[in-house]
Amino acid sequence: VQLQASGGGLVHSGGSLRLSCTVTGFTLRDYVIGWFRQVPGKEREGVSCISGRRGPTYYVDSVKGRFTISRDNDKNTVYLQMNNLKPEDTAVYYCATRNAKRNGDTCPNPASMDYWGKGTLVTVSS
């Protein structure tokens, strides 16, 4: 199982970025995918989650109306469209997954996720 996040970069406040998480080794439909972010000195935060079959299941309040999570099962890729970015969105963004059929806590709890990709840095300048 591998996840590869990409699409980070430097943008001005109000700008947009689209993050991609390409997965290999499993079928996206059977898994929950989450986007998380972390800044130095703070805990990792769940940003958005999507079920392989049911669609988006979670957005943290601070990104509602600005971020959109989506998936392309044929490409085994999950996207996070980030619009109207703010300096407080600056963080390393990670994608992670867990099997949707497994019982227990799930996304957006970081501890519930089984596999993580390497992060991609998003920097929003004011």
Side-chain angles (χ1 to χ4, degrees), residues 7-19 37 47 62-63 65-68 80-91 93 121-126:
L10 172 64
V11 295
H12 292 297
S13 182
S16 297
L17 284 173
R18 187 177 79 159
L19 304 183
R37 63 187 180 187
V47 176
S62 60
V63 308
R66 299 189 297 122
F67 290 11
T68 303
L80 186 67
Q81 178 66 44
M82 305 186 297
N83 298 329
N84 190 22
L85 282 160
K86 303 176 181 181
E88 51 264 41
D89 295 317
T90 295
Y93 283 71
L121 177 62
V122 172
T123 304
V124 185
S125 62
S126 57

mmCIF file of all heavy atoms in Angstrom, residues 7-19 37 47 62-63 65-68 80-91 93 121-126:
data_model
loop_
_atom_site.group_PDB
_atom_site.id
_atom_site.type_symbol
_atom_site.label_atom_id
_atom_site.label_comp_id
_atom_site.label_asym_id
_atom_site.label_seq_id
_atom_site.Cartn_x
_atom_site.Cartn_y
_atom_site.Cartn_z
ATOM 1 N N GLY A 7 1.228 18.378 -5.264
ATOM 2 C CA GLY A 7 0.446 19.558 -5.585
ATOM 3 C C GLY A 7 0.656 20.744 -4.673
ATOM 4 O O GLY A 7 0.081 21.809 -4.895
ATOM 5 N N GLY A 8 1.447 20.580 -3.632
ATOM 6 C CA GLY A 8 1.705 21.701 -2.744
ATOM 7 C C GLY A 8 2.542 22.766 -3.410
ATOM 8 O O GLY A 8 3.080 22.573 -4.505
ATOM 9 N N GLY A 9 2.643 23.899 -2.749
ATOM 10 C CA GLY A 9 3.433 24.994 -3.291
ATOM 11 C C GLY A 9 3.220 26.262 -2.516
ATOM 12 O O GLY A 9 2.618 26.261 -1.437
ATOM 13 N N LEU A 10 3.701 27.345 -3.099
ATOM 14 C CA LEU A 10 3.592 28.670 -2.495
ATOM 15 C C LEU A 10 2.567 29.491 -3.277
ATOM 16 O O LEU A 10 2.678 29.618 -4.504
ATOM 17 C CB LEU A 10 4.949 29.362 -2.521
ATOM 18 C CG LEU A 10 4.978 30.828 -2.105
ATOM 19 C CD1 LEU A 10 4.565 30.989 -0.649
ATOM 20 C CD2 LEU A 10 6.369 31.420 -2.344
ATOM 21 N N VAL A 11 1.572 30.015 -2.561
ATOM 22 C CA VAL A 11 0.563 30.854 -3.190
ATOM 23 C C VAL A 11 0.296 32.064 -2.307
ATOM 24 O O VAL A 11 0.578 32.041 -1.106
ATOM 25 C CB VAL A 11 -0.764 30.102 -3.431
ATOM 26 C CG1 VAL A 11 -0.579 28.985 -4.433
ATOM 27 C CG2 VAL A 11 -1.345 29.580 -2.127
ATOM 28 N N HIS A 12 -0.252 33.095 -2.917
ATOM 29 C CA HIS A 12 -0.674 34.256 -2.152
ATOM 30 C C HIS A 12 -2.034 34.011 -1.531
ATOM 31 O O HIS A 12 -2.810 33.165 -2.008
ATOM 32 C CB HIS A 12 -0.735 35.489 -3.052
ATOM 33 C CG HIS A 12 0.607 35.945 -3.529
ATOM 34 N ND1 HIS A 12 1.592 36.397 -2.679
ATOM 35 C CD2 HIS A 12 1.117 36.020 -4.785
ATOM 36 C CE1 HIS A 12 2.656 36.723 -3.391
ATOM 37 N NE2 HIS A 12 2.400 36.503 -4.664
ATOM 38 N N SER A 13 -2.316 34.747 -0.495
ATOM 39 C CA SER A 13 -3.624 34.668 0.138
ATOM 40 C C SER A 13 -4.714 34.907 -0.902
ATOM 41 O O SER A 13 -4.614 35.830 -1.720
ATOM 42 C CB SER A 13 -3.717 35.715 1.254
ATOM 43 O OG SER A 13 -4.950 35.641 1.915
ATOM 44 N N GLY A 14 -5.746 34.060 -0.871
ATOM 45 C CA GLY A 14 -6.810 34.140 -1.855
ATOM 46 C C GLY A 14 -6.610 33.237 -3.054
ATOM 47 O O GLY A 14 -7.523 33.075 -3.871
ATOM 48 N N GLY A 15 -5.442 32.668 -3.163
ATOM 49 C CA GLY A 15 -5.131 31.797 -4.286
ATOM 50 C C GLY A 15 -5.672 30.390 -4.105
ATOM 51 O O GLY A 15 -6.350 30.084 -3.118
ATOM 52 N N SER A 16 -5.367 29.540 -5.077
ATOM 53 C CA SER A 16 -5.881 28.169 -5.083
ATOM 54 C C SER A 16 -4.766 27.171 -5.370
ATOM 55 O O SER A 16 -3.784 27.492 -6.046
ATOM 56 C CB SER A 16 -6.963 28.010 -6.161
ATOM 57 O OG SER A 16 -8.074 28.834 -5.898
ATOM 58 N N LEU A 17 -4.961 25.991 -4.852
ATOM 59 C CA LEU A 17 -4.104 24.855 -5.149
ATOM 60 C C LEU A 17 -4.973 23.603 -5.190
ATOM 61 O O LEU A 17 -6.006 23.540 -4.520
ATOM 62 C CB LEU A 17 -3.021 24.654 -4.078
ATOM 63 C CG LEU A 17 -1.824 25.590 -4.057
ATOM 64 C CD1 LEU A 17 -0.981 25.317 -2.811
ATOM 65 C CD2 LEU A 17 -0.980 25.431 -5.304
ATOM 66 N N ARG A 18 -4.524 22.618 -5.952
ATOM 67 C CA ARG A 18 -5.196 21.321 -5.929
ATOM 68 C C ARG A 18 -4.169 20.256 -5.554
ATOM 69 O O ARG A 18 -3.177 20.061 -6.256
ATOM 70 C CB ARG A 18 -5.821 20.977 -7.272
ATOM 71 C CG ARG A 18 -6.678 19.702 -7.179
ATOM 72 C CD ARG A 18 -7.381 19.365 -8.469
ATOM 73 N NE ARG A 18 -6.492 18.720 -9.435
ATOM 74 C CZ ARG A 18 -6.924 17.985 -10.450
ATOM 75 N NH1 ARG A 18 -8.222 17.791 -10.626
ATOM 76 N NH2 ARG A 18 -6.060 17.449 -11.289
ATOM 77 N N LEU A 19 -4.441 19.609 -4.443
ATOM 78 C CA LEU A 19 -3.594 18.510 -4.006
ATOM 79 C C LEU A 19 -4.123 17.197 -4.582
ATOM 80 O O LEU A 19 -5.337 17.022 -4.729
ATOM 81 C CB LEU A 19 -3.566 18.417 -2.485
ATOM 82 C CG LEU A 19 -3.134 19.667 -1.720
ATOM 83 C CD1 LEU A 19 -3.082 19.374 -0.225
ATOM 84 C CD2 LEU A 19 -1.804 20.189 -2.220
ATOM 85 N N ARG A 37 -3.376 17.852 8.001
ATOM 86 C CA ARG A 37 -2.324 18.850 7.912
ATOM 87 C C ARG A 37 -1.687 19.044 9.278
ATOM 88 O O ARG A 37 -2.311 18.798 10.315
ATOM 89 C CB ARG A 37 -2.859 20.178 7.380
ATOM 90 C CG ARG A 37 -3.897 20.856 8.244
ATOM 91 C CD ARG A 37 -4.460 22.076 7.516
ATOM 92 N NE ARG A 37 -5.478 22.760 8.307
ATOM 93 C CZ ARG A 37 -6.225 23.767 7.859
ATOM 94 N NH1 ARG A 37 -6.061 24.212 6.589
ATOM 95 N NH2 ARG A 37 -7.113 24.333 8.639
ATOM 96 N N VAL A 47 -8.480 17.380 7.960
ATOM 97 C CA VAL A 47 -9.016 18.455 7.132
ATOM 98 C C VAL A 47 -10.272 18.007 6.400
ATOM 99 O O VAL A 47 -11.295 18.704 6.420
ATOM 100 C CB VAL A 47 -7.957 18.924 6.113
ATOM 101 C CG1 VAL A 47 -8.543 19.986 5.185
ATOM 102 C CG2 VAL A 47 -6.728 19.450 6.831
ATOM 103 N N SER A 62 -13.004 25.086 9.587
ATOM 104 C CA SER A 62 -12.213 26.197 9.062
ATOM 105 C C SER A 62 -12.051 26.162 7.543
ATOM 106 O O SER A 62 -11.630 27.160 6.953
ATOM 107 C CB SER A 62 -10.828 26.221 9.720
ATOM 108 O OG SER A 62 -10.136 25.014 9.462
ATOM 109 N N VAL A 63 -12.375 25.049 6.897
ATOM 110 C CA VAL A 63 -12.214 24.965 5.444
ATOM 111 C C VAL A 63 -13.541 24.816 4.715
ATOM 112 O O VAL A 63 -13.561 24.806 3.476
ATOM 113 C CB VAL A 63 -11.268 23.807 5.038
ATOM 114 C CG1 VAL A 63 -9.960 23.878 5.799
ATOM 115 C CG2 VAL A 63 -11.933 22.449 5.203
ATOM 116 N N GLY A 65 -16.670 25.397 2.670
ATOM 117 C CA GLY A 65 -16.952 26.426 1.690
ATOM 118 C C GLY A 65 -15.745 26.833 0.869
ATOM 119 O O GLY A 65 -15.883 27.565 -0.124
ATOM 120 N N ARG A 66 -14.563 26.392 1.257
ATOM 121 C CA ARG A 66 -13.341 26.751 0.523
ATOM 122 C C ARG A 66 -12.641 25.528 -0.076
ATOM 123 O O ARG A 66 -12.069 25.625 -1.153
ATOM 124 C CB ARG A 66 -12.353 27.465 1.459
ATOM 125 C CG ARG A 66 -12.894 28.752 2.052
ATOM 126 C CD ARG A 66 -11.799 29.523 2.797
ATOM 127 N NE ARG A 66 -11.274 28.778 3.937
ATOM 128 C CZ ARG A 66 -9.985 28.459 4.065
ATOM 129 N NH1 ARG A 66 -9.106 28.804 3.150
ATOM 130 N NH2 ARG A 66 -9.568 27.794 5.137
ATOM 131 N N PHE A 67 -12.692 24.417 0.622
ATOM 132 C CA PHE A 67 -12.024 23.202 0.157
ATOM 133 C C PHE A 67 -13.059 22.194 -0.324
ATOM 134 O O PHE A 67 -14.153 22.098 0.244
ATOM 135 C CB PHE A 67 -11.220 22.558 1.282
ATOM 136 C CG PHE A 67 -9.994 23.311 1.718
ATOM 137 C CD1 PHE A 67 -9.744 24.614 1.289
ATOM 138 C CD2 PHE A 67 -9.073 22.712 2.571
ATOM 139 C CE1 PHE A 67 -8.605 25.301 1.705
ATOM 140 C CE2 PHE A 67 -7.934 23.382 2.990
ATOM 141 C CZ PHE A 67 -7.708 24.677 2.562
ATOM 142 N N THR A 68 -12.689 21.413 -1.328
ATOM 143 C CA THR A 68 -13.549 20.361 -1.842
ATOM 144 C C THR A 68 -12.730 19.101 -2.049
ATOM 145 O O THR A 68 -11.701 19.144 -2.737
ATOM 146 C CB THR A 68 -14.208 20.762 -3.166
ATOM 147 O OG1 THR A 68 -14.951 21.971 -2.988
ATOM 148 C CG2 THR A 68 -15.151 19.663 -3.648
ATOM 149 N N LEU A 80 -7.851 17.294 -3.361
ATOM 150 C CA LEU A 80 -8.321 18.311 -2.429
ATOM 151 C C LEU A 80 -8.152 19.657 -3.130
ATOM 152 O O LEU A 80 -7.030 20.159 -3.259
ATOM 153 C CB LEU A 80 -7.543 18.290 -1.115
ATOM 154 C CG LEU A 80 -8.069 19.235 -0.044
ATOM 155 C CD1 LEU A 80 -9.453 18.776 0.442
ATOM 156 C CD2 LEU A 80 -7.110 19.341 1.134
ATOM 157 N N GLN A 81 -9.267 20.195 -3.614
ATOM 158 C CA GLN A 81 -9.257 21.508 -4.239
ATOM 159 C C GLN A 81 -9.338 22.552 -3.143
ATOM 160 O O GLN A 81 -10.309 22.555 -2.367
ATOM 161 C CB GLN A 81 -10.418 21.654 -5.215
ATOM 162 C CG GLN A 81 -10.505 23.014 -5.877
ATOM 163 C CD GLN A 81 -9.342 23.299 -6.802
ATOM 164 O OE1 GLN A 81 -8.944 22.438 -7.578
ATOM 165 N NE2 GLN A 81 -8.789 24.504 -6.719
ATOM 166 N N MET A 82 -8.364 23.412 -3.080
ATOM 167 C CA MET A 82 -8.299 24.417 -2.022
ATOM 168 C C MET A 82 -8.385 25.801 -2.649
ATOM 169 O O MET A 82 -7.477 26.198 -3.386
ATOM 170 C CB MET A 82 -6.994 24.267 -1.230
ATOM 171 C CG MET A 82 -6.780 22.869 -0.665
ATOM 172 S SD MET A 82 -5.339 22.745 0.413
ATOM 173 C CE MET A 82 -4.025 23.124 -0.748
ATOM 174 N N ASN A 83 -9.478 26.483 -2.371
ATOM 175 C CA ASN A 83 -9.702 27.831 -2.898
ATOM 176 C C ASN A 83 -9.673 28.850 -1.775
ATOM 177 O O ASN A 83 -9.839 28.513 -0.603
ATOM 178 C CB ASN A 83 -11.038 27.897 -3.626
ATOM 179 C CG ASN A 83 -11.097 26.974 -4.827
ATOM 180 O OD1 ASN A 83 -10.104 26.707 -5.487
ATOM 181 N ND2 ASN A 83 -12.299 26.479 -5.108
ATOM 182 N N ASN A 84 -9.498 30.099 -2.146
ATOM 183 C CA ASN A 84 -9.478 31.185 -1.174
ATOM 184 C C ASN A 84 -8.556 30.853 0.001
ATOM 185 O O ASN A 84 -8.942 30.974 1.172
ATOM 186 C CB ASN A 84 -10.896 31.488 -0.677
ATOM 187 C CG ASN A 84 -10.980 32.762 0.139
ATOM 188 O OD1 ASN A 84 -10.124 33.639 0.028
ATOM 189 N ND2 ASN A 84 -12.008 32.864 0.964
ATOM 190 N N LEU A 85 -7.367 30.445 -0.325
ATOM 191 C CA LEU A 85 -6.429 30.035 0.714
ATOM 192 C C LEU A 85 -6.044 31.190 1.621
ATOM 193 O O LEU A 85 -5.958 32.349 1.172
ATOM 194 C CB LEU A 85 -5.177 29.428 0.071
ATOM 195 C CG LEU A 85 -5.358 27.978 -0.413
ATOM 196 C CD1 LEU A 85 -4.297 27.618 -1.439
ATOM 197 C CD2 LEU A 85 -5.325 27.023 0.753
ATOM 198 N N LYS A 86 -5.822 30.859 2.872
ATOM 199 C CA LYS A 86 -5.469 31.835 3.885
ATOM 200 C C LYS A 86 -4.113 31.472 4.496
ATOM 201 O O LYS A 86 -3.730 30.294 4.480
ATOM 202 C CB LYS A 86 -6.537 31.852 4.984
ATOM 203 C CG LYS A 86 -7.946 32.135 4.487
ATOM 204 C CD LYS A 86 -8.961 32.051 5.614
ATOM 205 C CE LYS A 86 -10.368 32.320 5.103
ATOM 206 N NZ LYS A 86 -11.375 32.260 6.196
ATOM 207 N N PRO A 87 -3.420 32.430 5.062
ATOM 208 C CA PRO A 87 -2.120 32.118 5.687
ATOM 209 C C PRO A 87 -2.221 31.007 6.731
ATOM 210 O O PRO A 87 -1.282 30.217 6.872
ATOM 211 C CB PRO A 87 -1.716 33.445 6.315
ATOM 212 C CG PRO A 87 -2.342 34.476 5.430
ATOM 213 C CD PRO A 87 -3.676 33.884 5.039
ATOM 214 N N GLU A 88 -3.346 30.928 7.423
ATOM 215 C CA GLU A 88 -3.495 29.884 8.439
ATOM 216 C C GLU A 88 -3.671 28.492 7.843
ATOM 217 O O GLU A 88 -3.696 27.501 8.584
ATOM 218 C CB GLU A 88 -4.667 30.197 9.378
ATOM 219 C CG GLU A 88 -5.972 30.519 8.680
ATOM 220 C CD GLU A 88 -6.198 32.019 8.514
ATOM 221 O OE1 GLU A 88 -5.226 32.756 8.177
ATOM 222 O OE2 GLU A 88 -7.357 32.458 8.710
ATOM 223 N N ASP A 89 -3.792 28.390 6.530
ATOM 224 C CA ASP A 89 -3.817 27.079 5.871
ATOM 225 C C ASP A 89 -2.411 26.537 5.637
ATOM 226 O O ASP A 89 -2.252 25.390 5.206
ATOM 227 C CB ASP A 89 -4.547 27.166 4.529
ATOM 228 C CG ASP A 89 -6.017 27.510 4.677
ATOM 229 O OD1 ASP A 89 -6.670 26.940 5.574
ATOM 230 O OD2 ASP A 89 -6.505 28.351 3.885
ATOM 231 N N THR A 90 -1.415 27.354 5.895
ATOM 232 C CA THR A 90 -0.036 26.919 5.712
ATOM 233 C C THR A 90 0.265 25.728 6.604
ATOM 234 O O THR A 90 0.047 25.776 7.819
ATOM 235 C CB THR A 90 0.935 28.066 6.034
ATOM 236 O OG1 THR A 90 0.744 29.118 5.079
ATOM 237 C CG2 THR A 90 2.376 27.597 5.988
ATOM 238 N N ALA A 91 0.740 24.649 5.998
ATOM 239 C CA ALA A 91 1.012 23.411 6.721
ATOM 240 C C ALA A 91 1.594 22.389 5.757
ATOM 241 O O ALA A 91 1.568 22.580 4.539
ATOM 242 C CB ALA A 91 -0.266 22.854 7.350
ATOM 243 N N TYR A 93 0.658 18.980 4.266
ATOM 244 C CA TYR A 93 -0.580 18.227 4.063
ATOM 245 C C TYR A 93 -0.239 16.771 3.743
ATOM 246 O O TYR A 93 0.641 16.486 2.908
ATOM 247 C CB TYR A 93 -1.394 18.841 2.925
ATOM 248 C CG TYR A 93 -2.108 20.102 3.335
ATOM 249 C CD1 TYR A 93 -1.407 21.283 3.569
ATOM 250 C CD2 TYR A 93 -3.494 20.120 3.519
ATOM 251 C CE1 TYR A 93 -2.047 22.434 3.972
ATOM 252 C CE2 TYR A 93 -4.147 21.279 3.914
ATOM 253 C CZ TYR A 93 -3.422 22.418 4.145
ATOM 254 O OH TYR A 93 -4.074 23.560 4.542
ATOM 255 N N LEU A 121 4.077 20.302 1.114
ATOM 256 C CA LEU A 121 4.032 21.569 1.823
ATOM 257 C C LEU A 121 3.186 22.592 1.074
ATOM 258 O O LEU A 121 3.392 22.833 -0.115
ATOM 259 C CB LEU A 121 5.448 22.111 2.018
ATOM 260 C CG LEU A 121 5.582 23.472 2.690
ATOM 261 C CD1 LEU A 121 5.021 23.445 4.109
ATOM 262 C CD2 LEU A 121 7.037 23.925 2.695
ATOM 263 N N VAL A 122 2.271 23.193 1.803
ATOM 264 C CA VAL A 122 1.462 24.299 1.293
ATOM 265 C C VAL A 122 1.821 25.544 2.088
ATOM 266 O O VAL A 122 1.719 25.538 3.320
ATOM 267 C CB VAL A 122 -0.040 23.999 1.419
ATOM 268 C CG1 VAL A 122 -0.866 25.232 1.062
ATOM 269 C CG2 VAL A 122 -0.416 22.815 0.543
ATOM 270 N N THR A 123 2.244 26.580 1.389
ATOM 271 C CA THR A 123 2.595 27.833 2.036
ATOM 272 C C THR A 123 1.758 28.941 1.429
ATOM 273 O O THR A 123 1.764 29.140 0.213
ATOM 274 C CB THR A 123 4.087 28.156 1.859
ATOM 275 O OG1 THR A 123 4.873 27.069 2.362
ATOM 276 C CG2 THR A 123 4.452 29.421 2.629
ATOM 277 N N VAL A 124 1.017 29.641 2.281
ATOM 278 C CA VAL A 124 0.170 30.732 1.832
ATOM 279 C C VAL A 124 0.718 32.028 2.411
ATOM 280 O O VAL A 124 0.759 32.207 3.627
ATOM 281 C CB VAL A 124 -1.290 30.530 2.264
ATOM 282 C CG1 VAL A 124 -2.171 31.634 1.677
ATOM 283 C CG2 VAL A 124 -1.794 29.156 1.845
ATOM 284 N N SER A 125 1.126 32.916 1.543
ATOM 285 C CA SER A 125 1.680 34.193 1.998
ATOM 286 C C SER A 125 0.579 35.241 2.095
ATOM 287 O O SER A 125 -0.384 35.230 1.329
ATOM 288 C CB SER A 125 2.766 34.663 1.030
ATOM 289 O OG SER A 125 2.208 34.885 -0.246
ATOM 290 N N SER A 126 0.757 36.154 3.029
ATOM 291 C CA SER A 126 -0.263 37.192 3.233
ATOM 292 C C SER A 126 -0.028 38.380 2.331
ATOM 293 O O SER A 126 0.987 38.497 1.663
ATOM 294 C CB SER A 126 -0.257 37.637 4.687
ATOM 295 O OG SER A 126 1.018 38.097 5.051
#
